[in-house]
Amino acid sequence: MKLFTATALLTAAAAVPAFAQSIPAVRAKIPFEFHVGKAVLPAGEYDIMDGLNRETIHIRSTDGKHSAIVITYSQDAPAMRPAEPSLTFRRVGGEAYLASVTRPASARDIRGPAGDGYTVLAVIKAAPVR
């Protein structure tokens, strides 16, 4: 019985990372400091991938020193998604916020600070991570 339980737990644990990587990760070079949820990340090169489920995205610097996980929301109009992966940033006051991540099979929005006083700061192209 213990062997069956251990085997079942190992099988379930192995399935979690496979599900988390169901949509390919993308990499982008971001030339400015930016906010992701409550985290502030410095300029640099970042990998963007699914978190533990489809409602979260994990953003991690390629040097492994900085990362954030944020809850996302599906974009309403899949037909209007760009063909290439991209990250959209908005400016609120003097700060940059990651607003959305578009990947080949997924377009996700990130809730930013409240209020209407924002403008699109940049749309940065991303490339699939191999």
Side-chain angles (χ1 to χ4, degrees), residues 51-107:
L52 292 177
N53 58 49
R54 290 240 174 160
E55 285 77 34
T56 60
I57 288 180
H58 184 195
I59 296 123
R60 181 182 62 210
S61 62
T62 55
D63 65 8
K65 292 181 180 179
H66 308 282
S67 69
I69 296 174
V70 66
I71 296 173
T72 62
Y73 305 90
S74 180
Q75 290 182 355
D76 294 331
M80 299 185 71
R81 293 181 191 153
E84 295 181 11
S86 64
L87 284 72
T88 302
F89 293 86
R90 68 174 65 135
R91 180 183 305 274
V92 178
E95 306 291 327
Y97 289 83
L98 181 60
S100 66
V101 175
T102 302
R103 295 181 291 158
S106 172

Side-chain angles (χ1 to χ4, degrees), residues 4 19 23 27 30 40 44 47 51 56 69 74 77 83 98 100 107 110 116-117 126 129:
F4 174 77
F19 177 74
I23 297 174
R27 181 171 288 169
I30 303 166
V40 179
D47 290 338
T56 60
I69 296 174
S74 180
L98 181 60
S100 66
I110 300 163
D116 296 329
V129 176

